[in-house]
Structures are given as structure tokens and as C-alpha cells.
């Protein structure tokens, strides 16, 4: 099995001002400076990305965005392009978070366009997939994940597939405190890896697959010990520096 570098990403969602972002980084940095096995990523709102990037320069933390538009430029009021993110030294971008799918009409077909654009701009896509509670109860989990992964990755160039980070985030576990059992999370992440392997077996060994949904310091180690879970996409627990530091430590130990 490939030795994949653990990947710990905090998703701040619509939280924190510039001052609060800097405060967080200054509290976090000394707590995570003793190791560097895990990659550490902060997905900040557009308005605080520059603060995060300036405050983390020279550190192990990568600044990331939570969304981007697929076009290079044009009449898309309120949107941000991949080139604009690169201009700020942003290095990764969350694509297809379930909140964007649910509240902002993000579709599989749009994601199919966004992934290659992110990669062409040297932004590491953190591509999110996951089933709703109703879909799980109707035994549709496998079909939903298959559709999301196959369409989302359809236009990714073969030589870049290994650079995509995929986050399995069951919608029923996000922000609910209801974490998926390690068995459910591992099964879904293994399915995702098999789907990537259908496209390219080597890329499937390299792709990092994250679990997201109520990951916390007290459940992270068990999740990260699963063979197909290479990291976490963390919402609530990424807002407090001390908690996020513990999650980074769990990633360093994985
Ligand atoms: P949560 O969010 O950790 O607060 O459940 C995860 C996410 O939405 O990425």
C-alpha cells in the first residue's frame, strides 16, 4: 500500500474576520511546529484568505478557498476565478461541498468543469462527495457516490488524477455531531478508491481520501487508522485552535 501523506484540512465555512483568522493562526502555529508528517490546510472564506496566507508564510500550513467559478473571467457577479485565487498564493480549493450542492445549486456537471480548471491553475482540488440520510436509508449510497465520483472526475487529465484530494462527507454527519462509524467511513472511502482505480490504478494508490462529518479530537485517531482514510475535512472542530492542533497531531501520528 502506498504511503500517502496524511491530509488535515479545516473548513471554516462562513466564520471568522481577518483579525480572528490571524489570531487563530498565531495560536495554532506553535502547537503544530514539532512535526510535519501531515499536510495542514485551512479553507478560509474569500475575505480572510489573504490574512491566512500572510500569517502562515514559511509554515507548514497551506491556504485554501472554499469554492471557485469554472470560468477564467467574465460577467459572473459575485464569483471568484481560479486565476484570482492563484494570484493570492492560494494552493487548494474545496469543490462540491454538500452545502454548496444543497443551498447553491452546485451540480455534478459543474464540478466536472471545475476540477480540471483548478488543476490547470495549480490548485489542489478537495473534491467533496457524500450521500444524504434519505439516500443512505434507501440503500442508494453506492449509486450516489459512484455518480458523483464518475462525473466529477470525468474530465480530469489522467496524469493529474493522483493530485485530486477526495473528501467523503456523508451529509447526515456534517455539523450534526453524528459521526459515521469507522466501518461506514472506511467502506465508503474504499469504494471511492475502487472507483478511482477503474480510471487509473496508480492514481488510486496516490489519491488522498478524507473523511468529513463531525470529526473531532476524540474520534480522529480511530478514523485515521482505517486503511483508506488518509485525512479529514473538519468543520466545527477547526474553528478552535487548540482542537485543530489536536487533529493535526492525530494526522502526524497516523
Ligand atoms: P463538521 O463539518 O466537521 O462541522 O461536521 C465538516 C464539513 O462540512 O466539511
Amino acid at each position: 500500500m502506498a504511503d500517502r501523506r496524511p491530509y488535515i484540512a479545516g473548513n471554516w465555512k462562513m466564520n471568522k474576520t481577518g483579525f480572528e483568522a490571524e489570531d487563530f493562526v498565531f495560536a495554532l502555529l506553535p502547537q503544530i511546529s514539532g512535526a510535519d508528517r501531515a499536510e495542514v490546510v485551512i479553507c478560509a472564506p474569500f475575505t480572510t484568505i489573504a490574512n491566512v496566507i500572510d500569517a502562515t508564510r514559511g509554515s507548514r500550513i497551506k491556504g485554501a478557498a472554499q469554492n471557485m467559478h469554472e470560468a477564467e473571467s467574465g460577467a459572473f457577479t459575485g464569483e471568484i476565478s481560479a486565476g484570482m485565487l492563484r494570484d493570492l498564493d492560494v494552493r487548494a480549493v474545496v469543490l462540491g461541498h454538500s452545502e454548496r450542492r444543497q443551498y447553491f445549486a452546485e451540480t455534478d456537471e459543474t464540478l466536472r468543469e471545475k476540477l480540471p480548471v483548478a488543476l490547470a491553475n495549480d490548485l489542489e482540488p478537495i473534491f467533496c462527495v457524500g450521500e444524504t440520510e434519505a439516500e443512505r436509508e434507501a440503500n442508494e449510497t453506492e449509486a450516489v457516490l459512484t455518480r458523483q465520483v464518475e462525473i466529477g472526475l470525468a474530465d480530469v487529465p489522467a496524469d493529474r488524477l493522483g493530485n485530486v484530494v477526495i473528501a467523503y462527507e456523508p451529509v447526515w454527519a456534517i455539523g450534526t455531531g453524528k459521526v459515521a462509524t469507522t466501518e461506514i467511513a472506511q467502506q465508503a472511502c474504499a469504494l471511492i478508491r475502487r472507483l478511482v482505480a477503474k480510471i487509473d490504478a496508480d492514481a488510486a494508490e496516490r489519491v488522498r481520501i478524507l473523511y468529513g462529518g463531525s470529526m473531532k479530537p476524540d474520534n480522529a485517531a480511530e478514523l485515521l487508522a482505517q486503511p483508506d482514510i488518509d485525512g479529514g475535512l473538519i468543520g466545527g472542530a477547526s474553528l478552535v485552535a487548540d482542537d485543530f492542533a489536536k487533529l493535526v497531531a492525530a494526522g502526524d501520528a497516523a
Side-chain angles (χ1 to χ4, degrees):
M1 163 111 10
D3 183 26
R4 292 178 291 268
R5 192 170 172 206
Y7 195 98
I8 302 293
N11 174 14
W12 283 353
K13 309 192 179 184
M14 197 173 70
N15 291 289
K16 295 195 191 294
T17 61
F19 176 78
E20 289 164 347
E22 287 170 16
D23 215 40
F24 174 99
V25 169
F26 296 138
L28 177 67
L29 280 176
Q31 301 190 57
I32 64 166
S33 62
D36 81 345
R37 170 150 164 78
E39 272 192 71
V40 184
V41 181
I42 293 179
C43 310
F46 292 130
T47 48
T48 56
I49 292 181
N51 302 77
V52 168
I53 287 176
D54 284 342
T56 57
R57 243 177 248 288
S59 80
R60 63 188 294 205
I61 299 176
K62 286 208 261 200
Q66 299 172 9
N67 183 34
M68 56 158 235
H69 195 273
E70 60 276 21
E72 237 171 75
S73 61
F76 300 106
T77 301
E79 291 292 315
I80 302 279
S81 72
M84 292 170 182
L85 296 177
R86 277 306 299 165
D87 191 42
L88 284 180
D89 284 341
V90 173
R91 290 160 64 198
V93 59
V94 177
L95 295 177
H97 190 279
S98 66
E99 286 150 17
R100 299 231 44 103
R101 292 178 188 260
Q102 196 178 345
Y103 306 129
F104 303 98
E106 181 105 84
T107 63
D108 293 324
E109 286 302 329
T110 317
L111 291 160
R112 175 184 188 146
E113 290 182 54
K114 287 188 179 190
L115 270 113
V117 172
L119 288 162
N121 283 278
D122 280 330
L123 293 166
E124 184 171 65
I126 305 173
F127 168 45
C128 302
V129 297
E131 80 288 1
T132 63
E133 186 155 36
E135 288 163 343
R136 174 157 288 272
E137 278 168 7
N139 278 324
E140 289 168 0
T141 301
E142 187 165 338
V144 169
L145 293 177
T146 303
R147 187 197 72 226
Q148 291 175 336
V149 170
E150 286 183 349
I151 300 178
L153 297 181
D155 289 339
V156 171
D159 62 336
R160 301 306 302 277
L161 192 57
N163 301 104
V164 178
V165 174
I166 304 178
Y168 167 61
E169 298 210 304
V171 178
W172 45 272
I174 295 177
T176 57
K178 256 202 240 173
V179 66
T181 62
T182 45
E183 198 188 346
I184 287 180
Q186 162 57 26
Q187 268 174 9
C189 292
L191 165 67
I192 292 167
R193 201 175 303 285
R194 286 198 301 277
L195 292 167
V196 178
K198 275 181 29 192
I199 312 172
D200 185 303
D202 289 343
E205 282 297 297
R206 285 204 292 132
V207 155
R208 264 87 58 88
I209 302 179
L210 319 181
Y211 168 77
S214 301
M215 194 186 249
K216 305 245 161 1
D218 63 3
N219 58 30
E222 196 183 330
L223 288 158
L224 295 174
Q226 302 304 307
D228 287 295
I229 303 181
D230 305 314
L233 181 57
I234 300 129
S238 75
L239 292 172
V240 178
D242 292 357
D243 288 344
F244 193 57
K246 290 185 187 127
L247 290 156
V248 173
D252 284 331

